[in-house]
Amino acid sequence: MRAMVRETHLHVEDFIYPIFVIEGENIKNEVPSMPSVYQFSLDRLMEEVTEAYELGIRALMFFGVVTGKDEVGSGAYAEDGIVQQATKLVKEKYPELLVVADTCLCEYTDHGHCGVIHGNDVDNDESLKLLAKTAVSQAEAGADIIAPSNMMDGFVAVIREALDEAGFTHIPIMSYAVKYASAFYGPFRDAADSAPQFGDRKTYQMDPANRLEAIREARSDVEEGADFLMVKPALSYLDVIRDIRNEFDLPVVAYNVSGEYAMVKAAAQHGWIDEQQLVIEMLTSMKRAGAEIILTYFAKDVAAVLRNS
């Protein structure tokens, strides 16, 4: 009877699975702060992709880990960039898999910021040009959805225009519309080697204390042509997810970020929690709050549970 009246359900179709792709050969490096999460070189990438596919996961997001960084993040929009290569590789074997492209520069810049730096400041407008170039490059490689995470002002409009001009009018934009300057990102920055080399990102990411600002940020992106709205992080911002769900009729995405993953894994390793039950409860809360889609490093674990339940 309890199962019959359950209001919120998790499905494997809800998940986008993030994967770190690193330059080099025969590499499978576990991320120290993210147990069971690895960096894969291209020649070993399909091991992970195939495992996810066989579990029923049908959406992936790739993050690049590169050594040749520069001040303008040229690896982000290179035709032979690591993410572009990964996208092509996956599309050749599994054309039905949905590839969501994270569109940002921080993983590729030598200063670790999400845009072009002049002095000690991020140049918003110059950054937009490179982000648009990155989006087009990702679409040309076969990405199905462009997901800009940079939080530059006007990024959705500029990327939409660039995609349309390049003939990708059919490619939707999954905007990181509400992205907070959060302490939950630490393990990701280890995994992607993307920590800022000076200062922080508070000038272009949101104050965690602000709720109404999230509505303004999301509304701006909707007006510029966004097709999905993401809230990042998820666990401490369930109220914001519900606000966005109530305010707009676009699909809402919750990013269950690296710090949320790492603290669960750490507690589980000490035997303090039941990891499986906690993860199911945590992800269910994100759906209950209003997210239709969850970007999570737990995707494989939960997919296995759902398949066997």
Side-chain angles (χ1 to χ4, degrees), residues 208-262:
N210 290 358
R211 183 175 176 181
L212 295 178
E213 183 185 1
I215 301 295
R216 296 195 297 271
E217 290 283 358
R219 180 172 290 113
S220 173
D221 290 359
V222 171
E223 292 172 352
E224 292 177 17
D227 301 285
F228 303 78
L229 298 172
M230 185 184 294
V231 177
K232 177 184 180 183
L235 193 57
S236 292
Y237 301 89
L238 297 177
D239 59 326
V240 177
I241 293 173
R242 172 48 57 185
D243 287 343
I244 299 300
R245 171 71 285 146
N246 289 344
E247 190 74 20
F248 305 101
D249 60 2
L250 295 179
V252 177
V253 186
Y255 194 155
N256 176 213
V257 299
S258 61
E260 296 166 354
Y261 175 91

Side-chain angles (χ1 to χ4, degrees), residues 56-117:
I57 294 169
R58 293 296 181 267
L60 307 173
M61 180 180 284
F62 294 126
F63 296 100
V65 185
V66 300
T67 55
K69 303 186 179 191
D70 57 36
E71 61 183 7
V72 293
S74 59
Y77 45 85
E79 183 178 345
D80 60 349
I82 188 72
V83 167
Q84 285 80 353
Q85 292 186 65
T87 300
K88 293 174 183 177
L89 188 63
V90 167
K91 282 297 186 178
E92 286 176 3
K93 184 168 184 180
Y94 298 115
E96 67 274 27
L97 267 175
L98 194 72
V99 175
V100 184
D102 176 77
T103 305
C104 198
L105 302 178
C106 64
E107 299 147 58
Y108 308 95
T109 54
D110 52 17
H111 46 73
H113 280 282
C114 302
V116 178
I117 299 294

Side-chain angles (χ1 to χ4, degrees), residues 179 195 205:
K179 183 176 180 180
Q205 293 180 358

Side-chain angles (χ1 to χ4, degrees), residues 149-253:
S149 61
N150 51 86
M151 287 295 284
M152 298 292 113
D153 290 339
F155 67 94
V156 173
V158 170
I159 289 173
R160 180 74 273 159
E161 181 180 5
L163 289 171
D164 290 351
E165 288 181 354
F168 295 108
T169 57
H170 61 292
I171 298 292
I173 295 176
M174 179 183 288
S175 171
Y176 284 63
V178 182
K179 183 176 180 180
Y180 287 91
S182 172
F184 281 104
Y185 303 151
F188 174 90
R189 292 172 182 173
D190 291 340
D193 188 25
S194 63
Q197 298 304 301
F198 67 91
D200 54 42
R201 295 172 180 161
K202 292 179 180 178
T203 59
Y204 51 96
Q205 293 180 358
M206 287 177 50
D207 184 342
N210 290 358
R211 183 175 176 181
L212 295 178
E213 183 185 1
I215 301 295
R216 296 195 297 271
E217 290 283 358
R219 180 172 290 113
S220 173
D221 290 359
V222 171
E223 292 172 352
E224 292 177 17
D227 301 285
F228 303 78
L229 298 172
M230 185 184 294
V231 177
K232 177 184 180 183
L235 193 57
S236 292
Y237 301 89
L238 297 177
D239 59 326
V240 177
I241 293 173
R242 172 48 57 185
D243 287 343
I244 299 300
R245 171 71 285 146
N246 289 344
E247 190 74 20
F248 305 101
D249 60 2
L250 295 179
V252 177
V253 186

